[in-house]
Amino acid sequence: MLYDYLTTNEEGRLVIGGVDVKDLAEEYGTPLYVLSEDRIRENCRKYTAAMAKYFPEGSFPLYAGKALCFKGIYPVIDDEGMGADVVSPGEIFTALAAGFPAEKLFFHGTNKTDSEIEYALDCGIGCFVIDNMNELAALDKAAGEKGMKQKALLRLTVGIDPHTFKAVQTGMIDSQFGIPIQTGQAEGFLKAALDAENIEVAGFHSHIGSQIMDSYQFCDQADILLEFAADMKEKYGYTAEYFNIGGGFGVRYTEKDPTVDIEGNISDIAEHLAAGCEKAGLPVPKVLMEPGRSIVADAGVTIYEAGGIKTVEGYREYVTIDGGMTDNPRFALYGSEYTVLNASRADAPADFECTVAGRCCESGDRIAEDIMIARPERGDLIAVLGTGAYNYAMSMNYNRVPRPAMVMLSGGKARLVVRRQTFEDLISCEL
Ligand code: LLP
């Protein structure tokens, strides 16, 4: 199986973290998001341990909640000693409602409105990641009015193509995220930030992209940040305490994806950074990372029930499921590949070629095309693996499909962490 917490039982069914899918489906219904808490914790530990081992003291990972944000994740993240990256007041609210400490939150976003800035300041947010000059001025003013000095990082773009698909490249020069170094604008950004009385500039942030499998893109990023940092030290005497190098490590969605060696990559980056700092005559900064996908993606499995199974003669076989783009829009948006299996017949040969389609009135509503699974019958459970990241977070109510429930598995036991939306929920904001 793609992930080691997946097995099959004597009845030939898929077992997730020690729990039979049939029991999960019977107790909680389908579609159902299933999340292995044990796997999330393992993933967190890869970062906390490697960052503590290879980076200077005070370096730590922040969980990028955009990958999967719901109250139940934050106690786990907190317990694992991580901070969190929040990208909206909605994420701040969720984290705080779960008891996550505000001082461990880093507030991102390309357009923080005045009221959002005020909200975050009132919450006592640990650190802002300032995206642009207007935001810098607005934050300086708002913090000044409250008699506060706000800690912040400056979001810079380093102009790297991380060789990943275009929709998730956020570090390129022509980008709406942050201020570019190559155009010379980052210098003015830093200068203005240093002049801002109510802002304490803690360092630089840059995020180069997502689903990255190697360390070399991060080493390139470190080189560009270091060159800029050395220049700024010389010109303004400013030394960055932190480099936040963003998120982006990839995960295995299918057998053909490599396994990303988190510890090995972190060790490479640390070595490269330390050598670069020595050359530039700079102290090695504390490092922050913002993993999202690599914390939660491979901890998630979605369980659906197969409905219509039809042959379009001369073309293909379709298996329709009781969810689809409404709970996982990633195939519709990016053509993302997943491992799909017939969870009711997990040990039967995968000899049936089919396209798995969702339930929406939308021809793009598919989860996978032309894949091999064991031939299903109506009522069989279909499992899609690797759905922990950017699924629930990007889910929607198109066609008035209620969002699924989510259960978290720990030590072979399931607990409900998000209840299924009801029809009443669907109309709850409508007057
Ligand atoms: N930090 C920043 C500033 C980011 O923009 C992102 C992701 C992350 C951290 C986390 O990156 P990760 O470790 O998850 O790769 N919806 C797309 C992914 C968009 C990622 C956007 N930014 C998808 O479903 O693949």
Side-chain angles (χ1 to χ4, degrees):
M1 291 271 181
L2 190 67
Y3 308 134
D4 59 10
Y5 62 89
L6 302 174
T7 52
T8 46
N9 61 14
E10 278 163 12
E11 287 80 40
R13 281 190 300 270
L14 180 70
V15 175
I16 310 175
V19 188
D20 186 333
V21 276
K22 184 163 173 267
D23 296 339
L24 290 169
E26 277 173 7
E27 184 160 359
Y28 302 102
T30 58
L32 180 68
Y33 294 114
V34 182
L35 207 55
S36 162
E37 180 181 333
D38 301 332
R39 184 56 171 248
I40 293 176
R41 287 183 182 273
E42 252 176 63
N43 290 338
C44 291
R45 283 170 202 175
K46 286 185 189 156
Y47 280 93
T48 50
M51 291 185 73
K53 184 166 169 192
Y54 298 107
F55 289 134
E57 205 183 329
S59 302
F60 59 96
L62 312 169
Y63 167 63
K66 59 184 73 79
L68 175 60
C69 183
F70 70 100
K71 278 170 64 183
I73 192 98
Y74 286 99
V76 177
I77 296 301
D78 191 20
D79 194 41
E80 291 299 330
M82 292 173 65
D85 140 2
V86 281
V87 78
S88 67
E91 286 192 2
I92 297 175
F93 181 82
T94 308
L96 296 182
F100 198 81
E103 64 274 12
K104 284 171 63 185
L105 293 177
F106 284 61
F107 185 24
H108 268 281
T110 47
N111 181 14
K112 304 177 186 77
T113 65
D114 289 351
S115 66
E116 292 177 354
I117 290 173
E118 194 163 339
Y119 173 72
L121 288 171
D122 289 342
C123 289
I125 210 100
C127 189
F128 274 65
V129 182
I130 305 176
D131 181 87
N132 57 64
M133 292 289 252
N134 307 101
E135 183 188 319
L136 173 66
L139 176 60
D140 187 34
K141 182 164 171 276
E145 280 165 9
K146 291 181 189 295
M148 298 165 73
K149 189 153 178 129
Q150 177 62 47
K151 195 163 140 181
L153 300 173
L154 303 185
R155 179 152 185 179
L156 307 178
T157 36
V158 294
I160 286 178
D161 171 0
H163 309 296
T164 182
F165 50 98
K166 207 158 185 262
V168 290
Q169 286 174 5
T170 48
M172 309 281 281
I173 296 178
D174 182 8
S175 147
Q176 76 264 44
F177 305 102
I179 297 290
I181 293 176
Q182 279 89 344
T183 59
Q185 289 164 278
E187 179 174 343
F189 191 27
L190 174 65
K191 199 168 168 301
L194 293 174
D195 288 344
E197 268 176 35
N198 309 304
I199 292 175
E200 176 198 331
V201 188
F204 306 126
H205 172 282
S206 132
H207 170 79
I208 50 176
S210 212
Q211 189 60 4
I212 301 171
M213 299 299 192
D214 298 293
S215 59
Y216 69 88
Q217 297 95 331
F218 290 94
C219 294
D220 291 350
Q221 173 196 33
D223 288 344
I224 298 166
L225 285 176
L226 271 178
E227 197 188 328
F228 176 71
D231 191 26
M232 294 305 102
K233 185 170 179 217
E234 201 181 303
K235 287 188 173 137
Y236 305 103
Y238 174 74
T239 306
E241 182 185 356
Y242 289 97
F243 276 11
N244 181 332
I245 59 173
F249 278 135
V251 296
R252 278 187 98 200
Y253 284 108
T254 66
E255 296 282 353
K256 56 181 202 278
D257 293 328
T259 300
V260 177
D261 175 7
I262 303 281
E263 179 177 354
N265 282 319
I266 287 177
S267 140
D268 290 349
I269 299 168
E271 202 179 306
H272 191 87
L273 185 67
C277 286
E278 201 183 325
K279 223 166 105 195
L282 291 171
V284 184
K286 294 172 192 159
V287 177
L288 304 171
M289 296 179 84
E290 295 171 339
R293 188 189 314 268
S294 52
I295 299 294
V296 288
D298 65 8
V301 174
T302 308
I303 305 170
Y304 303 97
E305 191 177 295
I309 296 147
K310 67 178 146 199
T311 309
V312 178
E313 284 181 8
Y315 292 87
R316 56 173 107 207
E317 314 272 355
Y318 284 95
V319 173
T320 44
I321 51 172
D322 53 357
M325 68 186 286
T326 46
D327 57 82
N328 179 3
R330 295 190 72 255
F331 183 85
L333 277 171
Y334 319 120
S336 303
E337 283 188 82
Y338 282 97
T339 300
V340 181
L341 49 101
N342 184 340
S344 299
R345 300 163 208 270
D347 60 355
D351 55 6
F352 178 68
E353 184 173 343
C354 62
T355 285
V356 178
R359 54 176 303 160
C360 284
C361 307
E362 183 87 27
S363 54
D365 184 5
R366 292 177 178 188
I367 289 295
E369 275 174 3
D370 306 324
I371 51 149
M372 303 299 291
I373 62 173
R375 181 184 283 271
E377 280 175 17
R378 184 179 175 85
D380 275 4
L381 297 173
I382 304 294
V384 180
L385 314 185
T387 55
Y390 303 110
N391 273 228
Y392 176 69
M394 293 169 72
S395 62
M396 58 180 145
N397 290 130
Y398 183 42
N399 283 192
R400 288 270 140 149
V401 177
R403 284 185 172 82
M406 190 186 305
V407 293
M408 201 123 111
L409 305 181
S410 175
K413 288 212 164 47
R415 67 179 196 282
L416 188 67
V417 285
V418 179
R419 70 157 169 81
R420 186 173 303 282
Q421 275 188 331
T422 61
F423 296 145
E424 281 302 319
D425 289 331
L426 294 177
I427 57 165
S428 63
C429 298
E430 295 165 15
L431 309 174

